[in-house]
Amino acid sequence: MRMPRGGRLFLATCLGSLFVLVLYFQSITKPEPGLKTGTRPAKSISPLQTLYNGDQQLELLAAQRSLQSRRELLEQVCLSHTKKRWVLSPEDLKHLIVDDKHSLIYCYVPKVACTNWKRVLMVLTSDGRYSDPLAIPANEAHVAGNLRTLSEFSVSEINQRLRSYLKFVFVREPFERLVSAYRNKFTRRYNTAFHKRYGTKIIRQHRPNPEPEALEEGNDVSFLEFVQYLVDPRTQREEPFNEHWERVHSLCHPCLIHYDVVGKYETLEPDAQAVLRLAGVEGTVKFPDSGKIIRTDGDMSARYFKQISSFYQKKLFNLYRMDFLLFNYSTPEYLRTR
């Protein structure tokens, strides 16, 4: 049956207005032969072949096997737990930083060493302006425009980079990342912007009979109030989560974008070294050593979760469940979900 002319015109108009991003799958064991990799110098063995074909010249073979198994597990979980496929929009690609000079794409996740990774990428893309990542002030590393994101490119340019660039992301145990975000944004006096933007709202919605000063300043949000805010259905109906507590799978879309390397905060040093080696820049830049004396770890997270009832613990775990599954993190022993 022939569609009426008006219907055909309507359909064509709708299709023309859609942002279409071609999703793709790479072989898990071997990259496409002869794949062009931007401006990276031609080599007889590509970085991805080095990583996934077990090249003996690569040191840290244990780290190599770990990176490969993470990627394989991620793909298996994606196949098991995602039923629908959807199209990515430019908004979905704002966390993917692009280095055209070295054919790299990095999805940054706040509270997972992203400041240092941005510093490293600023060194790599600066054409000699920077040489030492730690010489770059932390606030400068986060200035919009210092690094290009994938969302700035055309559809064809996006697809070309997704197919041929080395793509990597670093993740962290979800609740340790969450506690780290709370400590940094709500217990530090200097974060007045977060206190005003989020603290006042959290206190207004989740504290019975708040003092006028608390409503004005928003600088004394408790961890319980923060958790209540996160699991409240109104929160995400009103606006998206802030990137500091947004789930990694929502920031980086690991079931749609086929990451070559999934690094972990828990093994940051060897994983970062592996990425720089694969990119061919280990002699150009060194990933900075962490200067932090006190890190948010499992023991610290357990202390924070002691004040949270099993009811809210279960709700919070369900909220972050996909990050636990996708990146192979066990349910914390301190969690009371029954």
Side-chain angles (χ1 to χ4, degrees):
M1 181 177 174
R2 188 176 179 85
M3 182 183 292
R5 184 171 182 271
R8 294 200 304 273
L9 287 173
F10 176 75
L11 179 60
T13 302
C14 290
L15 290 174
S17 64
L18 288 175
F19 174 88
V20 179
L21 178 63
V22 178
L23 299 175
Y24 67 100
F25 283 96
Q26 292 175 320
S27 166
I28 193 148
T29 58
K30 190 173 184 179
E32 188 175 325
L35 200 63
K36 292 184 179 179
T37 55
T39 57
R40 183 186 288 127
K43 299 179 181 179
S44 57
I45 298 178
S46 76
L48 297 188
Q49 286 173 322
T50 300
L51 179 59
Y52 297 115
N53 289 351
D55 186 86
Q56 293 301 311
Q57 294 179 359
L58 182 66
E59 298 174 8
L60 305 173
L61 292 179
Q64 173 192 347
R65 288 191 293 269
S66 177
L67 292 175
Q68 183 172 352
S69 66
R70 286 176 198 165
R71 172 177 160 165
E72 292 170 349
L73 176 65
L74 174 59
E75 186 166 278
Q76 291 169 7
V77 175
C78 286
L79 290 173
S80 301
H81 291 84
T82 56
K83 305 301 181 184
K84 291 183 177 181
R85 301 281 306 262
W86 64 92
V87 175
L88 293 172
S89 70
E91 185 70 25
D92 297 319
L93 304 175
K94 287 186 174 180
H95 272 250
L96 277 74
I97 296 172
V98 177
D99 173 6
D100 280 329
K101 185 176 181 181
H102 302 93
S103 301
L104 296 174
I105 294 177
Y106 161 59
C107 185
Y108 76 89
V109 179
K111 308 311 299 177
V112 192
C114 77
T115 301
N116 280 341
W117 269 119
K118 287 182 178 181
R119 285 167 162 162
V120 166
L121 288 166
M122 287 178 69
V123 170
L124 292 176
T125 59
S126 69
D127 293 322
R129 181 184 173 192
Y130 302 110
S131 58
D132 178 10
L134 288 179
I136 302 173
N139 62 327
E140 187 175 341
H142 297 293
V143 172
N146 280 345
L147 294 164
R148 295 196 72 182
T149 65
L150 199 58
S151 62
E152 299 173 35
F153 294 88
S154 69
V155 175
S156 61
E157 290 172 330
I158 289 170
N159 287 323
Q160 184 272 328
R161 284 161 175 78
L162 286 175
R163 283 193 299 267
S164 60
Y165 282 20
L166 179 70
K167 300 168 293 298
F168 68 99
V169 59
F170 273 72
V171 301
R172 184 178 186 178
E173 201 277 345
F175 284 170
E176 290 179 22
R177 175 176 170 247
L178 190 66
V179 171
S180 178
Y182 166 76
R183 292 178 62 228
N184 179 255
K185 301 306 176 186
F186 294 107
T187 69
R188 304 287 191 267
R189 290 186 179 275
Y190 58 78
N191 267 323
T192 54
F194 268 82
H195 301 161
K196 294 285 188 179
R197 173 72 175 82
Y198 295 100
T200 55
K201 180 178 181 178
I202 292 171
I203 290 170
R204 184 171 64 252
Q205 292 183 345
H206 300 285
R207 182 179 299 180
N209 305 314
E211 296 292 332
E213 183 180 353
L215 288 172
E216 175 68 22
E217 301 297 331
N219 59 1
D220 64 343
V221 172
S222 70
F223 186 63
L224 172 59
E225 291 167 339
F226 179 54
V227 170
Q228 290 173 329
Y229 162 78
L230 292 174
V231 301
D232 188 337
R234 293 176 297 176
T235 300
Q236 291 191 81
R237 283 202 301 264
E238 293 173 0
E239 62 180 342
F241 275 168
N242 179 274
E243 62 179 10
H244 290 84
W245 46 85
E246 179 60 279
R247 287 70 52 92
V248 177
H249 74 269
S250 295
L251 293 175
C252 298
H253 315 285
C255 291
L256 293 174
I257 296 172
H258 207 54
Y259 289 96
D260 303 298
V261 176
V262 178
K264 289 197 171 185
Y265 189 77
E266 295 79 8
T267 51
L268 178 60
E269 184 176 341
D271 291 355
Q273 184 179 348
V275 169
L276 296 178
R277 185 183 298 248
L278 288 167
V281 296
E282 60 178 337
T284 304
V285 64
K286 183 180 183 297
F287 191 84
D289 294 327
S290 174
K292 290 184 178 180
I293 299 175
I294 301 176
R295 284 190 177 186
T296 303
D297 57 13
D299 291 338
M300 183 177 292
S301 298
R303 291 197 293 273
Y304 275 89
F305 272 82
K306 275 185 178 179
Q307 58 186 285
I308 309 301
S309 69
S310 59
F311 173 79
Y312 282 115
Q313 285 189 12
K314 184 175 182 178
K315 279 184 169 290
L316 194 66
F317 181 77
N318 287 338
L319 190 62
Y320 288 86
R321 180 173 175 268
M322 278 305 297
D323 277 2
F324 278 97
L325 289 173
L326 288 168
F327 306 115
N328 197 28
Y329 285 107
S330 302
T331 305
E333 292 183 0
Y334 57 78
L335 212 62
R336 308 185 309 275
T337 57
R338 295 182 180 179

